[in-house]
Amino acid sequence: MNYLVDTHLLLWATIVPKKLSKSARQRLDDAGAQPWFSAASIWETAIKRALGRADFDVEPRRLRRALLDNGWSELAISSEHAAAVNELPALHKDPFDRMLLAQARTEGFTLLTSDKLVAQYKGAVEKV
């Protein structure tokens, strides 16, 4: 199973694993699971860190390197992903979350999220 992990879960998994829910840990620890992170999450981390957000206090290059070193796969943003954002209903305004949703749908992945609003989208989205 390919899981695209939203930015907050990604940060928790790498920096504060105890913040992950039991169901999130189970999904990510499953031997048949392949966790993926998006370039959008690294971009979001860089922007929000620069804005001084305490919950994004991690150096983006270090975060990326740590993920790759620990077996995560990286998903680049393609023009197909960008175009797919147009197909999403306007339930959520956050451009990063919308990109993650579009990427998961386009690639046939399940998006793991802790965000109740993101979880309202139909399709392969799982709130953990």
Side-chain angles (χ1 to χ4, degrees), residues 1-2 5 23 31 43 46 72 78-80 82 92 99 104 118 123-124 128:
M1 173 67 72
N2 288 308
V5 180
S23 60
W43 180 25
W72 290 63
S78 72
S79 58
E80 180 62 28
H92 199 309
M99 177 54 73
V118 172
V128 291

Side-chain angles (χ1 to χ4, degrees), residues 62-111:
R62 284 185 149 173
L63 174 62
R64 179 182 179 272
R65 183 76 266 150
L67 291 164
L68 292 172
D69 288 349
N70 284 286
W72 290 63
S73 295
E74 181 175 5
L75 183 59
I77 299 171
S78 72
S79 58
E80 180 62 28
H81 298 147
V85 171
N86 186 59
E87 300 163 8
L88 296 172
L91 298 174
H92 199 309
K93 304 292 186 212
D94 184 287
F96 299 107
D97 288 331
R98 292 178 61 80
M99 177 54 73
L100 294 173
L101 283 160
Q103 286 184 293
R105 284 183 170 190
T106 300
E107 300 300 326
F109 293 175
T110 297
L111 177 64

Side-chain angles (χ1 to χ4, degrees), residues 50-61:
L51 293 173
R53 290 265 308 260
D55 53 338
F56 287 85
D57 190 22
V58 61
E59 203 286 315
R61 281 194 176 92

Side-chain angles (χ1 to χ4, degrees), residues 4-51:
L4 182 59
V5 180
D6 84 359
T7 308
H8 271 99
L9 289 177
L10 181 73
L11 291 169
W12 295 343
T14 55
I15 299 167
V16 193
K18 65 182 178 187
K19 282 188 122 178
L20 288 174
S21 69
K22 181 180 178 181
S23 60
R25 277 193 299 275
Q26 287 174 334
R27 301 299 179 290
L28 295 174
D29 291 342
D30 182 340
Q34 177 56 53
W36 288 77
F37 69 95
S38 171
S41 291
I42 302 301
W43 180 25
E44 179 178 15
T45 301
I47 288 173
K48 292 183 177 176
R49 180 176 193 246
L51 293 173

